[in-house]
Amino acid sequence: MSGRGQAKGCVATFVERKTRLSIGIKMPNRSAASMDAAIRKLYHVLPKIAFQTFTTDWGKKFSCYATIESDLKIPVYFCDAYSAWQRGSNENSNGLLREFFPKRTNFDFVSQNQLQEAVALINNRPRKCLDWKTPHEVFSEELLHLI
């Protein structure tokens, strides 16, 4: 999110659990309608077989979950309240994104291209938990096994 009170712009971050692949989609505000649009955009970018479930926190921006479940046929799961550790991969990914966009960054002035460049660098960074492969490499390998 942009610094509170500064701007409405924010970024929806999605992380594939097994491969740690990150995707960031810029949103104009924190509304459920904006989140719904971001999830649908993600759904149309990824191969359908790669998008099987969705886990989120209890924020009001996810009140669109019933529509997502019924329209896209994707089960939505919720973490326990105040349990960020249940979304550890996402929290870690957000921390990596903060290396490029520190707190108080006004996302109204960050373009989708700037966001994509940062996410590409994150996805091409080798990770110890992936046996020193990059999230991009591991995601590509996993997709080949699914197809």
Side-chain angles (χ1 to χ4, degrees), residues 14-141:
F14 303 95
V15 181
E16 199 285 321
R17 179 194 58 80
K18 187 173 183 181
T19 66
R20 306 298 203 275
L21 187 83
S22 297
I23 297 174
I25 299 175
K26 196 169 176 241
M27 297 187 343
N29 55 46
R30 298 174 190 98
S31 70
S34 292
M35 182 56 73
D36 184 88
I39 292 169
R40 289 174 191 277
K41 183 175 183 179
L42 177 69
Y43 182 75
H44 293 296
V45 169
L46 291 177
K48 303 302 176 260
I49 197 161
F51 203 160
Q52 298 177 7
T53 65
F54 185 70
T55 303
T56 183
D57 60 24
W58 285 92
K60 68 179 182 177
K61 61 192 166 288
F62 295 108
S63 63
C64 61
Y65 83 93
T67 308
I68 295 299
E69 282 186 322
S70 65
D71 291 356
L72 305 181
K73 308 294 185 243
I74 299 170
V76 177
Y77 298 95
F78 290 90
C79 295
D80 294 325
Y82 306 104
S83 300
W85 58 270
Q86 293 178 349
R87 299 180 312 109
S89 293
N90 186 258
E91 294 296 328
N92 184 26
S93 178
N94 289 346
L96 295 174
L97 200 56
R98 285 284 183 206
E99 292 176 16
F100 298 92
F101 307 106
K103 287 190 180 241
R104 301 192 206 294
T105 296
N106 186 336
F107 284 110
D108 285 343
F109 300 111
V110 174
S111 71
Q112 183 66 35
N113 283 343
Q114 290 172 304
L115 177 61
Q116 290 311 111
E117 288 174 13
V119 170
L121 288 170
I122 291 168
N123 285 332
N124 286 295
R125 180 186 294 183
R127 308 267 182 98
K128 182 178 180 181
C129 65
L130 299 175
D131 201 22
W132 300 110
K133 292 182 182 179
T134 68
H136 185 264
E137 288 173 317
V138 177
F139 185 77
S140 298
E141 290 171 4

